[in-house]
Amino acid sequence: PKNCPGIYLEFGHCGFRTDHAINVYTSPDLEHWTFVSNILPQEVRPEGIYFRPKVVYHKSNDEWVLWVNHLAPAISPLVSYPEFLVATSPNPEGPFTVINTRAGVEISGGGDFALMVDPNDDNGTAYIAYDAWGNNHAVLVERLTPDYHDSMGAAASSGKISPIGNEAPIMFERRGWYYILY
């Protein structure tokens, strides 16, 4: 993709723009949608490109935790390929406050990702599954810190659990079994 989505072009062009909003909408039926808010406005976040936001609820802290891919300004998006930015809010509709501009995941260049809070764990342990440029897009899973504000990185990593060249993992639990699809 030499012309789009923009990863080889000047920073902030084509699909990888710096003015993307992270919006919340609600729907009673998945057909009719109502805009609620921009949960991380440009004026309260570091400059850059934002995409693939995920939000989980931290029951013990009574807060909502947002993880989002963030590319800091560079010559091109490919040069600064993403890290994860973390923000929190007492409400799912925000606004969110940035608390960690670079989560400490094991592999650099994290891209597509999913978050999951273990529904069977009384302590509410949470996990991130992601692929990264730094491992040729192999999927791995890491445990988050108890507050969900960071990853425990290599200290709590599954290591590669897929072949290379995979993206967009999702995780879920069903009847005591844990699944990851990518």
Side-chain angles (χ1 to χ4, degrees):
K2 293 291 182 185
N3 294 319
C4 203
I7 61 174
Y8 299 101
L9 299 176
E10 183 181 339
F11 193 83
H13 286 265
C14 203
F16 279 103
R17 295 170 35 157
T18 59
D19 63 351
H20 286 157
I22 302 174
N23 292 329
V24 170
Y25 288 80
T26 61
S27 173
D29 56 11
L30 298 179
E31 184 177 338
H32 303 92
W33 293 90
T34 302
F35 172 76
V36 176
S37 68
N38 178 349
I39 63 172
L40 195 65
Q42 282 184 270
E43 58 272 8
V44 300
R45 67 186 195 204
E47 182 183 5
I49 298 166
Y50 289 79
F51 58 101
R52 296 193 66 85
K54 308 287 185 294
V55 176
V56 292
Y57 179 66
H58 194 293
K59 188 176 178 180
S60 297
N61 291 354
D62 193 25
E63 71 180 359
W64 296 85
V65 182
L66 165 71
W67 281 60
V68 62
N69 287 115
H70 172 244
L71 284 82
I75 295 169
S76 79
L78 193 60
V79 172
S80 73
Y81 213 74
E83 298 298 336
F84 300 106
L85 178 135
V86 182
T88 61
S89 174
N91 305 300
E93 64 273 3
F96 281 72
T97 301
V98 174
I99 54 147
N100 185 350
T101 58
R102 191 175 178 145
V105 294
E106 177 183 12
I107 307 296
S108 65
D112 299 334
F113 73 103
L115 299 177
M116 184 184 87
V117 178
D118 186 343
N120 298 318
D121 182 4
D122 292 337
N123 295 322
T125 303
Y127 299 87
I128 181 171
Y130 67 101
D131 62 87
W133 283 84
N135 69 0
N136 294 312
H137 295 285
V139 175
L140 65 151
V141 177
E142 294 173 15
R143 189 170 48 230
L144 299 184
T145 56
D147 59 11
Y148 307 169
H149 296 176
D150 206 345
S151 169
M152 295 178 75
S157 174
S158 67
K160 293 179 185 179
I161 60 172
S162 78
I164 63 171
N166 290 281
E167 296 183 331
I170 62 169
M171 297 181 288
F172 63 94
E173 179 275 341
R174 182 174 183 259
R175 298 183 183 163
W177 285 86
Y178 297 86
Y179 296 85
I180 186 166
L181 307 173
Y182 53 87

